[in-house]
Amino acid sequence: MTDTPRRRGRRPGAPDTRDAILAAARESFARDGFDKTSVRAIAEAAGVDAALVHHYFGTKRKLFIAAVEIPVDPEQVLSGLMAVEVEDLGRQLILTIVGLWDGDAGPAAVALVKANLSAPDPAMLRSFLTEIVLAAIGERLTSGDHVALRTSLTASQLLGVLVSRHILKLDPIATMPLADLADMVGPTLQRYLTGQLS
């Protein structure tokens, strides 16, 4: 009697289960957004127990990050932004977000934005921006007035800089040192966040 060699690695079917969860998550997040999507609903759509979703991905936010295929961990980005004073958020946004695009994550970030902007409904990118990044920034605004408008204006300016620098490669924005760019654009972002809007 010969011993059957033991299978190594993941158990059979595990990649299919993970892929089914991701597919259900992408559909749910695109349709309902981050806040209105529950782990239980994703599990039901994937035909698995909710415990398996937590087993593979941990939290709903980590599942969202995996579903969107964001090339950076938003938690690291947000922790850097949360560490500065509110009065310095405008400049820090440029240093942090544009700095990421200038680094190793840049090509993947450009590909992600191009794919979402050319989609019929860029719901995933919109949900990531509004319900994760901008919502966290909005919570820090103490003025309490027009938070949605302030964060939307900030996003429009920031995306304009990113597209000009990395997709259109519009000089001198494309080749300007990051610190200089932060000095020039940061005050505009800061006005959107904490200054007078009219």
Side-chain angles (χ1 to χ4, degrees):
M1 182 174 174
T2 59
D3 290 335
T4 304
R6 299 183 73 181
R7 184 185 294 270
R8 295 186 177 182
R10 292 185 176 187
R11 58 192 172 91
D16 292 339
T17 301
R18 189 176 190 280
D19 290 345
I21 293 169
L22 278 174
R26 287 188 185 104
E27 185 176 334
S28 298
F29 286 133
R31 183 184 63 244
D32 302 323
F34 178 80
D35 287 340
K36 294 180 181 175
T37 298
S38 70
V39 169
R40 186 175 300 280
I42 291 169
E44 286 180 12
V48 301
D49 190 271
L52 265 181
V53 178
H54 291 293
H55 169 74
Y56 283 112
F57 299 99
T59 65
K60 184 172 80 166
R61 180 170 287 191
K62 288 181 179 177
L63 173 58
F64 181 85
I65 293 165
V68 182
E69 299 177 332
I70 301 167
V72 295
D73 183 353
E75 297 293 342
Q76 293 179 346
V77 175
L78 291 175
S79 66
L81 292 173
M82 298 304 106
V84 300
E85 297 295 327
V86 173
E87 293 75 20
D88 298 323
L89 269 175
R91 187 172 192 278
Q92 189 62 40
L93 270 167
I94 295 293
L95 292 174
T96 301
I97 305 298
V98 179
L100 284 171
W101 281 52
D102 287 358
D104 294 338
V110 169
L112 175 68
V113 169
K114 282 182 175 178
N116 275 269
L117 291 180
S118 63
D121 181 13
M124 294 285 277
L125 182 60
R126 181 173 59 244
S127 187
F128 170 69
L129 276 175
T130 59
E131 297 178 43
I132 294 184
V133 177
L134 296 180
I137 293 171
E139 289 173 2
R140 296 200 62 201
L141 303 183
T142 56
S143 61
D145 63 323
H146 309 295
V147 171
L149 176 59
R150 288 180 182 280
T151 54
S152 294
L153 287 169
T154 302
S156 69
Q157 183 76 29
L158 193 54
L159 280 172
V161 170
L162 291 169
V163 168
S164 297
R165 187 172 176 91
H166 284 282
I167 295 177
L168 299 178
K169 300 188 183 302
L170 183 65
D171 271 328
I173 294 174
T175 55
M176 185 180 297
L178 181 59
D180 293 349
L181 189 64
D183 288 341
M184 292 182 184
V185 182
T188 299
L189 296 183
Q190 194 64 48
R191 183 177 72 81
Y192 288 155
L193 290 169
T194 59
Q196 292 290 329
L197 294 179
S198 57

